[in-house]
Amino acid sequence: MTYQVLTDESPGKMPLPVPPSQVWIISTLEIAVSWQDDHHLMLVHPSYPLAGQRNSPPHDEGYWAPPFVAYPVPIEFSPPTTAGSLLQLATDAAGRIDIERDLNHLAYQMGLRDTQLRRRSPFLELKVSPRSPSTVKAYYILRHGLVGVDASSSRNLADPEQRRGYVFLPLRGYLTATEVRPGEEHGRSERWFLGKPLMSNVEYVLQEEMRRLVISEEGLDVPPELFHRKERGVLCVVDLAGYGTALRYAFEHMHTFSTTADRAQDEFRRQVAHELHTMLGDLGTTQAQFAGDGFVAAFPERAFTNTTALITNIVTRWEALVGLIERLNGSIRAPEKRVGTRMVLHQGDYSYGRIAGARSFAAAFDGTAVIEAVRLEQGLATASKERSAPMFASLPRRSHLVAVSGQLAEQVKPSESGSPFGAWTALGETSLTAKEYEGDAFVYQVRTAETERPSPAGETR
């Protein structure tokens, strides 16, 4: 079946290659926002493909689409068979719906107010359903542009922390930001953006430069600073020492007759990843970037007002994570193959959100304090491995270490129950160096049962 677009210029008696099994009205809300002398069309990801469908597409990505409202059009006795009868059925149904009211309701749910809409040229599509590729459907695309909105709600357009999942397709750079791939199930090629195909109605609209220009000219100016938030707070950097070595050990030695090597390795990895994510969830922050066996996280002062209480909570939760690591280490007979941990706590100014504005597709960190925290962790890793200071000379090969920057240490005041680090071994203050950065930090060792036992003869320290 060949994908077809029908407009008012299509001959009314033109037969449809396949009568549609369903007819839908799709009322789209085209929203363009400014960023660095270009406008970008907001897109959402409304649905993944339905499972168990025959003739499912070779990808499992779903499609990018504008925000929209959908209405099924009743087919009374038989489906339309010509372009004219299909267009008549769709336009009659659209005339009975207060579409602009529903679009304003959609905009309200998006956090927008005092919205101004402008109608744009509609068209009909006849195609394989993107969610159910075994059926052919017709879609009457009614386009509306959002051309005005109250400035106080503009942050809801920027979606700085990616909570709404918006992505922004550049209009001037449309051809270079997308690529064409074959799409056999539709009988046509598809244009992809950020690893997913564009819905066909988006591609049809944007294929004409004049339509892209109109959308841009009626776009909304969103201040660049709304795409991320400037913060001050506690920064936490975590990394595991010897994680790759432990995974290889799990693969080579921890399988049994009933558990394969791959499964043993996956279970080890899954438990660690689950605990890292659960730790931050329990502490209550969503500002985080994960990378395999570690993360960078932040606790903004506007939400975590008591720094000492926050550090106490982090310390308590960290001890639970170390406990899990030690239980996993108990299955590793070779001490040099076990996992150690490093955590750095710092404080300072940073930014979090869409650091690259409309071209960001994930929330991220920026700022000097973030770089300092990461460099402190790298410096701690190097110092503990190379024994560059006396405090590290007698530590076990895989220790559990925490470094608190001098700047943050000044903000943490002992409570009635003592210092948050009271149960840990204080190794002292030292200078940690990584690349071009050097900073002072107070280093602690988390006590474990293994820490208290003498090292076996011959163990590498």
Side-chain angles (χ1 to χ4, degrees), residues 22-35:
Q22 295 180 23
V23 178
W24 287 82
I25 295 172
I26 306 294
S27 181
T28 62
L29 188 59
E30 295 176 354
I31 304 174
V33 302
S34 60
W35 174 259

Side-chain angles (χ1 to χ4, degrees), residues 284-319:
T285 186
T286 58
Q287 295 187 354
Q289 283 182 259
F290 287 86
D293 59 343
F295 61 73
V296 178
F299 301 83
E301 286 182 353
R302 60 182 170 80
F304 300 88
T305 56
N306 188 322
T307 301
T308 300
L310 170 64
I311 299 301
T312 300
N313 290 338
I314 293 175
V315 165
T316 301
R317 193 59 186 79
W318 182 248
E319 289 173 344

Side-chain angles (χ1 to χ4, degrees), residues 12 15 72 78 109 126 128 140 176 234 250 253 280 285 318 337 359 375 409 429 431 457:
S78 64
Q109 292 178 312
L126 187 69
V128 170
Y140 188 35
T176 56
V234 172
H253 300 286
L280 288 183
T285 186
W318 182 248
K337 305 293 185 181
R359 292 313 305 264
R375 293 288 184 261
E429 185 177 10
S431 179

Side-chain angles (χ1 to χ4, degrees), residues 88-142:
Q88 187 67 49
L89 177 67
T91 53
D92 287 349
R96 297 190 293 268
I97 304 170
D98 190 346
I99 290 176
E100 291 197 5
R101 179 186 183 279
D102 291 344
L103 284 178
N104 278 303
H105 186 199
L106 174 63
Y108 171 79
Q109 292 178 312
M110 295 171 64
L112 310 177
R113 69 177 189 177
D114 197 13
T115 53
Q116 301 174 41
L117 305 179
R118 182 163 297 159
R119 293 185 182 184
R120 292 171 178 162
S121 55
F123 58 94
L124 268 163
E125 288 185 305
L126 187 69
K127 65 177 183 178
V128 170
S129 167
R131 293 209 310 168
S132 306
S134 59
T135 60
V136 175
K137 300 180 183 180
Y139 300 88
Y140 188 35
I141 309 298
L142 298 178

Side-chain angles (χ1 to χ4, degrees), residues 402-432:
V402 176
V404 182
S405 70
Q407 181 177 347
L408 177 58
E410 295 178 356
Q411 304 298 318
V412 180
K413 300 177 181 179
S415 62
E416 294 180 0
S417 58
S419 168
F421 311 100
W424 297 357
T425 301
L427 301 180
E429 185 177 10
T430 188
S431 179
L432 299 175

